[in-house]
Amino acid sequence: MDIILLERIKNLGQMGDRVSVKSGYARNFLIPLKKALRVNEENIKRFENEKIKLEANNLETKKQAEKLQEKIKGKKFVLIRSASESGSLYGSVTARDIQLIMQENDITINKSQIELNSTIKELGIVTVPINLHPEVSVEIEIIVARSEEEALAQDNKKVETEEVIIQKN
């Protein structure tokens, strides 16, 4: 299916690009979320009329994302979880857990912005990328430990410490 992108989409194209994607991806994701329009005469005219407004909105959201990036940059979040002696967690840390600890610290993001390819199932320090905008991303560190003391011991192994925020389970 041929579509016109209404915003930049990673691995697909820039705003205004005409691309061909699988029809299910367009029908179930891009079009309902207003990220794209089907290519036809009416939608081409509609896009041309709204192009300036879309670019202004994109610029505004990018500025907001850059402000949030500065607020988040360098922060470390500690999640206290129960684990076995070998370091395997009895549960797991998901994108939802990361979203909740960030909300507790007045950082509002969507769960879908957290690029966690699989759940965290081991104790340790994990770097997690967060996509604030298609053109703006930031990485945070999640320290998963059994206690605050263990988290600080793990963190002391790494030299650069900005700010550590702790959430107990």
Side-chain angles (χ1 to χ4, degrees):
M1 175 183 286
D2 291 333
I3 57 170
I4 303 169
L5 297 177
L6 298 178
E7 64 181 57
R8 181 182 183 276
I9 301 199
K10 189 176 180 180
N11 299 330
L12 198 53
Q14 301 290 331
M15 180 191 305
D17 288 353
R18 292 182 189 180
V19 295
S20 183
V21 297
K22 291 189 177 185
S23 58
Y25 182 51
R27 275 196 320 265
N28 298 325
F29 180 71
L30 296 173
I31 294 171
L33 294 179
K34 298 185 181 2
K35 294 177 182 278
L37 295 172
R38 288 189 171 126
V39 174
N40 60 35
E41 290 301 318
E42 180 184 327
N43 285 339
I44 292 171
K45 289 177 185 172
R46 178 177 160 198
F47 174 74
E48 292 301 324
N49 292 335
E50 294 180 3
K51 186 175 182 177
I52 295 169
K53 185 175 131 184
L54 289 170
E55 288 174 347
N57 286 343
N58 183 45
L59 190 61
E60 182 62 32
T61 56
K62 184 177 177 182
K63 285 180 184 176
Q64 291 173 352
E66 287 171 345
K67 287 180 187 176
L68 188 57
Q69 179 187 32
E70 290 303 313
K71 183 177 179 181
I72 296 173
K73 200 172 196 171
K75 292 207 177 185
K76 297 179 182 186
F77 298 91
V78 176
L79 297 170
I80 306 298
R81 297 288 189 261
S82 300
S84 67
E85 288 298 317
S86 64
S88 298
L89 296 179
Y90 291 129
S92 61
V93 176
T94 63
R96 178 84 175 129
D97 296 324
I98 296 169
Q99 179 192 19
L100 289 174
I101 190 171
M102 292 181 82
Q103 278 181 346
E104 289 175 6
N105 293 283
D106 299 323
I107 301 170
T108 305
I109 61 166
N110 293 327
K111 187 172 73 169
S112 62
Q113 291 176 299
I114 300 169
E115 201 173 302
L116 192 61
N117 296 330
S118 62
T119 57
I120 301 169
K121 298 181 180 184
E122 299 282 327
L123 294 175
I125 300 174
V126 180
T127 302
V128 179
I130 298 180
N131 298 318
L132 303 172
H133 183 270
E135 300 170 20
V136 180
S137 63
V138 66
E139 290 185 342
I140 60 168
E141 285 190 351
I142 303 296
I143 302 171
V144 183
R146 290 185 197 102
S147 66
E148 290 181 40
E149 295 80 24
E150 184 178 304
L152 293 173
Q154 285 179 5
D155 191 41
N156 285 338
K157 291 177 185 174
K158 297 191 91 176
V159 180
E160 74 278 355
T161 300
E162 290 289 325
E163 185 175 342
V164 178
I165 300 165
I166 299 174
Q167 178 196 39
K168 294 181 182 175
N169 189 9

